Amino acid sequence: MASPVVPLVTFFALLALVACLAIWDRRVLRARGLRAASAWWILLLPPIAYFVARRVALKKQGIRANAPGNVYVLTIFAAAALTSVALAPMALARMDAASLRLLEQQASAELQRQTAVSWTVTCPDGAPVTIVGSSFDCAAIDATGRAVRFTAHVLHPREFSVDPAVLQ
């Protein structure tokens, strides 16, 4: 399990940054002679609440100032899109590794069923598990030291057919 320290520090640093920006925004608006929303909205609710309160306070004075809130919302959408683009390859790599581990477990169970001996199966970590039509070799060794190998063929992404095991 990853440590929660980095996400917590990041969260509080971003919260402090947004709070400082809200306080600065309030001071700028007051210096221009406008009534501004309370910066406490930032600490009580998500930052969007400050932008809504800011918009309402300025609208009561006849001023239309939606840009900060719009930029905030667009930034959230952009961050979500970038995060999904960045995390997708990692999720796919985990799925690839999980499919290989499942293949190893199933092959081990099948060999054990056929021979009544425990087997340890290993497939290469970099196997092309998503390239339909490709194949890769896996090795198995039993408790007595007997070794076999078999070839796995990719039928569909992360779905395999296995040739019969061959003694080495």
Side-chain angles (χ1 to χ4, degrees), residues 6-153:
V6 172
L8 283 173
V9 168
T10 303
F11 171 78
F12 285 114
L14 288 174
L15 182 64
L17 175 66
V18 170
C20 289
L21 288 173
I23 292 168
W24 174 77
D25 182 57
R26 181 177 166 89
R27 286 183 181 164
V28 168
L29 289 174
R30 281 189 165 182
R32 292 180 180 170
L34 301 170
R35 285 184 316 240
S38 172
W40 288 103
W41 284 101
I42 287 288
L43 300 176
L44 298 175
L45 296 170
I48 193 69
Y50 172 75
F51 292 116
V52 170
R54 178 186 194 275
R55 179 176 181 221
V56 168
L58 292 175
K59 191 172 184 178
K60 286 180 183 177
Q61 299 170 66
I63 298 170
R64 203 168 155 208
N66 298 333
N70 294 344
V71 169
Y72 177 77
V73 169
L74 290 174
T75 303
I76 294 298
F77 284 123
L82 289 174
T83 300
S84 67
V85 166
L87 294 180
M90 290 189 292
L92 292 174
R94 284 186 180 184
M95 288 173 55
D96 293 351
S99 68
L100 280 174
R101 300 299 83 85
L102 181 61
L103 173 63
E104 291 171 349
Q105 290 172 357
Q106 290 172 343
S108 177
E110 180 61 24
L111 286 169
Q112 184 173 355
R113 187 187 66 73
Q114 292 173 2
T115 62
V117 179
S118 178
W119 289 83
T120 302
V121 176
T122 55
C123 295
D125 286 333
V129 298
T130 58
I131 302 172
V132 176
S134 65
S135 60
F136 53 92
D137 289 335
C138 297
I141 190 165
D142 72 359
T144 65
R146 182 174 44 170
V148 297
R149 69 171 181 78
F150 62 90
T151 301
H153 303 278

